Amino acid sequence: ARRFGIKNQSTCGALSTAGGLVFYPEPSGNLVILDQKTGEELWKTKINVHLNSAPITFMLNEKQVFVVSSNKGLHFFGLPSKQ
């Protein structure tokens, strides 16, 4: 198992994908994606709400999306397609 020194850990849990990505919510309302091998932060966005679940991911119309829930509803994001 790979361990990262993640700051601002949430009690929601993280999601690791076969494609080498780690998704995790921060208590401050940020949603972060890391490279599983290096721990490098690849993407981060501020949702400005309390995130209350681990992210999930699935394919929709041949595109990978991920979703996280908050006290305001569901938040959907799309990943860029590999070229």
Side-chain angles (χ1 to χ4, degrees), residues 47-66:
I47 300 176
N48 289 322
V49 294
H50 175 72
L51 300 173
N52 53 21
S53 75
I56 62 170
T57 185
F58 54 90
M59 297 300 288
L60 179 64
N61 297 327
E62 300 183 18
K63 184 171 184 172
Q64 186 175 8
V65 298
F66 64 100

Side-chain angles (χ1 to χ4, degrees), residues 3 10-11 14 16 19 27 29 44 50 55 62-65 71 73 77:
R3 292 183 180 231
S10 169
T11 58
S16 177
K44 183 176 192 174
H50 175 72
E62 300 183 18
K63 184 171 184 172
Q64 186 175 8
V65 298
N71 58 338
F77 300 90

Side-chain angles (χ1 to χ4, degrees), residues 1-12:
R2 176 100 176 150
R3 292 183 180 231
F4 301 110
I6 297 174
K7 297 178 183 177
N8 302 318
Q9 292 182 12
S10 169
T11 58
C12 296

Side-chain angles (χ1 to χ4, degrees), residues 1 4 6 8 11 15-17 28 35 37 72:
F4 301 110
I6 297 174
N8 302 318
T11 58
L15 169 70
S16 177
T17 69
S28 61
D35 180 288
K37 291 181 183 173
K72 300 289 185 182

Side-chain angles (χ1 to χ4, degrees), residues 7-46:
K7 297 178 183 177
N8 302 318
Q9 292 182 12
S10 169
T11 58
C12 296
L15 169 70
S16 177
T17 69
L21 301 176
V22 177
F23 299 75
Y24 74 94
E26 294 179 330
S28 61
N30 292 324
L31 187 57
V32 181
I33 301 176
L34 302 176
D35 180 288
Q36 186 176 4
K37 291 181 183 173
T38 66
E40 176 188 359
E41 188 176 284
L42 302 175
W43 183 84
K44 183 176 192 174
T45 191
K46 180 94 171 153

